[in-house]
Amino acid sequence: MKLKFTKMHGAGNDFIVVDAINQQVELSAAQWQRLADRRFGIGADQILVVEKPTLPGCDFRYRIFNNDGGEVEQCGNGARAFVKFVAEKGLTKLSSIRVETKSGVIAPRLEADGGITVDMGAPVLAPAEVPFDADGLAGTAQGVDTLWPLELELGGARETVLVSVVSMGNPHAVQVVDDVETAPVDLSGPLIEHHPRFPRRVNAGFMQVLGRRHVRLRVYERGAGETLACGTGACAAVVAGIRRGLLDSPVRVDARGGQLSVAWAGAGQPVLLTGPAVTVFEGEITL
Ligand SMILES: N[C@H](CCC[C@H](N)C(=O)O)C(=O)O
């Protein structure tokens, strides 16, 4: 079976994008994983699949598979690549589209200046809906549940990190660190990803606050490891920072692979993610 694909990235978070409208695409988790493998396949953090919508009022359906082959609910950098892909491929003439995802409808828009903004919907903050098992824990800080103590076993020693839990359709645990470059991302990232209080695992964010409208962020992603940027991670970090009284919207988010901007007007309001999307090459692979 031959599969046409396009390789893209959003601030270094890289994707294989597949048009499943004009070609038959029925792959197993193992086959998705093989495609995403950087040695045995094409290589990517995530695979984005473009399908016809099933919901009224939507232009497309968007399925997302992590590097480990698992299908997930949302991908912010991927949403920008998605809207650029369907425009470049002539699958739509619209510059603003409504896209059905596993976790709801998002609205990416091609800006006149070439930038791309995505309405990622409102964050979900109730721990049980992230989902995060807060049983036995007392949420702290400012009378709202903005911080939760997470027990980690770091190299034989028990350590408690304070995380904010936020869902952008996918789960995030965000902590503030003094310096992202020296933060123990490789060590505590996987421990947080697989922490038993996250029944669907979690993306682990490490945010350094440089100013009220400027942060640096590293994310150890669920099912992909550390990526050069994480769009939903940037949204979750800014929401957490605003709720903790550390940030004011909009916020510049410096990821290792590039710069994103996140705006959020507060509870119940949508999070707007702005950033680049780049097409790297087209290809065809025989499975
Ligand atoms: N690893 C994420 C999916 C991709 C998110 C990220 N690449 C983004 O840009 O939002 C998860 O398992 O929830």
Side-chain angles (χ1 to χ4, degrees):
M1 169 199 172
K2 290 191 180 302
L3 186 69
K4 287 186 178 10
F5 68 89
T6 299
K7 189 72 178 25
M8 300 183 78
H9 75 84
N13 181 196
D14 68 330
F15 310 111
I16 296 163
V17 190
V18 173
D19 172 356
I21 296 174
N22 296 298
Q23 56 184 346
Q24 189 67 28
V25 181
E26 285 300 328
L27 303 186
S28 65
Q31 287 177 309
W32 289 126
Q33 189 175 19
R34 173 54 64 100
L35 280 181
D37 188 288
R38 295 194 185 284
R39 289 174 178 77
F40 294 101
I42 303 160
D45 294 325
Q46 279 87 32
I47 298 173
L48 314 180
V49 182
V50 181
E51 296 184 342
K52 288 196 174 95
T54 65
L55 292 179
C58 288
D59 303 292
F60 295 97
R61 185 159 86 126
Y62 165 40
R63 295 178 69 190
I64 304 140
F65 297 86
N66 271 330
N67 177 273
D68 67 0
E71 183 168 4
V72 290
E73 311 90 341
Q74 197 51 270
C75 180
N77 288 325
R80 300 195 312 276
F82 187 100
V83 69
K84 184 178 171 79
F85 177 84
V86 295
E88 284 181 345
K89 291 292 181 188
L91 295 175
T92 181
K93 298 217 179 316
L94 300 170
S95 58
S96 181
I97 57 176
R98 289 180 58 76
V99 184
E100 173 189 341
T101 74
K102 270 185 88 166
S103 63
V105 178
I106 57 172
R109 184 180 65 242
L110 291 167
E111 306 289 1
D113 66 2
I116 301 171
T117 295
V118 191
D119 173 339
M120 295 297 296
V124 168
L125 300 165
E129 294 172 42
V130 170
F132 171 66
D133 173 10
D135 200 18
L137 296 180
T140 58
Q142 295 161 343
V144 288
D145 56 353
T146 57
L147 278 179
W148 299 94
L150 212 49
E151 290 278 320
L152 298 180
E153 287 286 337
L154 277 171
R158 289 177 76 77
E159 188 179 314
T160 299
V161 293
L162 291 176
V163 295
S164 297
V165 293
V166 180
S167 170
M168 290 305 302
N170 59 345
H172 291 269
V174 186
Q175 59 184 285
V176 172
V177 295
D178 293 335
D179 181 345
V180 288
E181 289 313 319
T182 58
V185 175
D186 296 336
L187 200 58
S188 53
L191 295 178
I192 296 170
E193 178 194 1
H194 296 278
H195 195 284
R197 285 192 179 273
F198 293 99
R200 288 200 213 137
R201 295 185 289 156
V202 71
N203 298 283
F206 300 80
M207 170 169 67
Q208 177 184 351
V209 178
L210 299 174
R212 292 194 64 84
R213 294 183 190 273
H214 189 192
V215 301
R216 292 174 71 195
L217 180 69
R218 291 174 67 184
V219 181
Y220 189 92
E221 285 199 28
R222 176 181 63 171
E226 181 174 8
T227 56
L228 293 181
C230 179
T232 51
C235 296
V238 169
V239 166
I242 289 172
R243 292 188 79 221
R244 291 181 56 182
L246 303 172
L247 301 176
D248 298 314
S249 176
V251 177
R252 171 180 157 178
V253 180
D254 291 349
R256 285 183 146 180
Q259 189 177 312
L260 302 173
S261 175
V262 178
W264 183 51
Q269 298 299 312
V271 184
L272 303 180
L273 170 67
T274 300
V278 176
T279 300
V280 183
F281 65 88
E282 309 280 345
E284 183 175 85
I285 188 167
T286 303
L287 290 171

